[in-house]
Amino acid sequence: MLSKLNSLLAQTDISLTDQQKQQLVDFVRLLDKWNKAYNLTSVRNPDEMLVKHIMDSLVVSPYLEGERFIDVGTGPGLPGIPLAITNPDKQFVLLDSLGKRITFIKNALRELGIQNVTPVLSRVEEYTEQQFDGILSRAFASLDDMVNWCYHLPNEQGKFYALKGVYDESEVQAIKKPIELTKVVKLEVPELVGERHLVILKKA
């Protein structure tokens, strides 16, 4: 699996240490192992997880600005855990409302020795403890829902980072809260079939 990860990384500008690569591979192994009992992801093949979960998360890394991030509806820790491994200088809160996912994340953090992640079991609209430089979401409902439920989370400079498939401009126009579109980035994920976009928004 390590050689597969290396060949995927070679198709990007992302450079990682041997330790980071090992952590990513070990994370996939844990995800694969726990998935059988916990049903954490519909992706069953570990090599496919490298593409659809790990690389799909990592390509966002160059666009993150700031030090404190929250991954809302993180599921089994995506994109939060791959991004935390890649950015040990940044702090991540991983939030999900399902206990079994947070249990998996806590175990993964312990086994992988990851220090810069705080797992939180909560609904996003009820989490009001701190504000962030970036709000991350992958496979979240709509942009309107994301902004609506997370509007209290960014600090003054904070941005929303939404990982989407096909970019639909009408989805941005449908957002009801005061918001401005900062950037839309077409992401290149090695060996992934289908489009991926990063939509970056901030409060207007």
Side-chain angles (χ1 to χ4, degrees):
M1 214 180 341
L2 202 52
S3 61
K4 171 76 173 173
L5 178 60
N6 278 323
S7 82
L8 291 167
L9 286 167
Q11 301 171 59
T12 71
D13 294 335
I14 300 163
S15 64
L16 300 177
T17 65
D18 289 344
Q19 186 196 358
Q20 286 170 318
K21 291 175 191 173
Q22 191 60 54
Q23 283 178 309
L24 289 168
V25 167
D26 289 344
F27 175 60
V28 170
R29 288 205 176 101
L30 283 173
L31 193 50
D32 182 46
K33 183 175 132 189
W34 281 59
N35 203 30
K36 294 171 178 68
Y38 273 51
N39 201 20
L40 297 164
T41 164
S42 58
V43 182
R44 298 285 175 216
N45 177 319
D47 278 355
E48 225 180 305
M49 287 181 189
L50 282 175
V51 173
K52 291 185 174 172
H53 290 334
I54 303 301
M55 297 308 301
D56 193 52
S57 298
L58 294 188
V59 291
V60 177
S61 187
Y63 304 100
L64 299 183
E65 293 174 19
E67 288 165 18
R68 301 175 58 74
F69 295 85
I70 183 167
D71 175 10
V72 295
T74 186
L78 297 163
I81 286 181
L83 289 173
I85 289 170
T86 319
N87 298 278
D89 55 326
K90 301 184 191 301
Q91 294 294 319
F92 292 84
V93 168
L94 270 52
L95 183 136
D96 203 275
S97 59
L98 211 58
K100 67 179 183 179
R101 294 173 183 157
I102 296 298
T103 302
F104 167 74
I105 290 168
K106 284 179 176 171
N107 179 73
L109 298 177
R110 195 168 53 245
E111 290 208 24
L112 302 174
I114 297 171
Q115 305 289 328
N116 57 331
V117 168
T118 307
V120 173
L121 178 62
S122 173
R123 293 168 61 84
V124 63
E125 54 269 43
E126 290 161 10
Y127 182 75
T128 55
E129 284 173 44
Q130 48 183 317
Q131 290 188 306
F132 299 88
D133 299 312
I135 320 305
L136 292 154
S137 83
R138 178 178 182 264
F140 207 74
S142 65
L143 288 177
D144 182 46
D145 282 344
M146 180 198 177
V147 169
N148 195 28
W149 294 337
C150 305
Y151 205 70
H152 58 293
L153 292 172
N155 58 30
E156 280 185 23
Q157 285 77 43
K159 294 188 172 76
F160 297 92
Y161 297 87
L163 286 74
K164 305 291 280 184
V166 177
Y167 170 60
D168 181 359
E169 200 180 330
S170 66
E171 215 188 327
V172 175
Q173 290 160 357
I175 298 171
K176 297 173 195 68
K177 297 260 189 201
I179 204 90
E180 64 186 65
L181 179 64
T182 305
K183 193 189 264 186
V184 178
V185 183
K186 190 173 192 311
L187 299 169
E188 301 296 337
V189 183
E191 295 183 25
L192 184 75
V193 177
E195 288 185 34
R196 298 299 281 154
H197 289 84
L198 176 64
V199 182
I200 306 176
L201 307 155
K202 65 174 185 179
K203 287 185 180 183

